[in-house]
Amino acid sequence: MVSPFKTPGALSWHELTSNNCKDSMGFYGEIFGWTFKRMDMPQGPYYIIENHGVSIGGIAPNPCPKLPSHWTGYITVTDVDEVAIKAKTLGGDLLYGPEDIPNIGRFCWIQDPDGAIIAAITYLQAGE
């Protein structure tokens, strides 16, 4: 089994409730290389997030559009600093970091153009 701590773009199952699902999918697809599959649910569309063919989470329309889009999770990446730069280039914002976590890796918190917040992290590999 592939470890989410070693696979760029990996996270455990998390959901994003978004005020603009299309823009959210475009933003995260560009940064992490994710693809999406639509599922029609009774409450509306639900978009399965896939990373290298593995379902890892979902995106759903925000049931309360007065609230900002939101989720929390850590995404494994190859280069946190590169992700921070790319997020800003795509209209996002860097909220924290990049910063090292001793004995763990390097991370940052980014905010997409619709206001959702997520963290990107590069874990130290054995021997680093």
Side-chain angles (χ1 to χ4, degrees):
M1 179 165 201
V2 178
S3 168
F5 302 106
K6 296 180 181 179
T7 306
L11 80 155
S12 61
W13 194 274
H14 289 287
E15 281 185 346
L16 167 63
T17 54
S18 175
N19 290 326
N20 188 321
C21 292
K22 180 181 176 185
D23 285 353
S24 294
M25 288 185 288
F27 181 81
Y28 291 112
E30 281 291 323
I31 288 180
F32 301 121
W34 292 343
T35 58
F36 305 89
K37 287 189 179 177
R38 181 186 170 123
M39 289 180 56
D40 291 315
M41 306 293 284
Q43 66 275 22
Y46 187 84
Y47 302 94
I48 300 293
I49 302 166
E50 291 194 342
N51 184 54
H52 301 283
V54 176
S55 298
I56 61 170
I59 297 176
N62 193 345
C64 184
K66 291 181 182 180
L67 295 177
S69 299
H70 57 278
W71 70 355
T72 303
Y74 280 78
I75 310 303
T76 302
V77 299
T78 303
D79 185 332
V80 166
D81 296 274
E82 182 180 308
V83 166
I85 292 165
K86 193 169 190 179
K88 291 185 77 145
T89 301
L90 292 169
D93 198 12
L94 182 62
L95 299 179
Y96 188 85
E99 182 175 295
D100 292 329
I101 304 171
N103 303 315
I104 301 294
R106 185 168 176 80
F107 80 107
C108 68
W109 286 0
I110 58 175
Q111 186 174 40
D112 76 16
D114 287 320
I117 298 168
I118 196 164
I121 187 165
T122 301
Y123 294 94
L124 294 175
Q125 302 302 312
E128 288 186 62

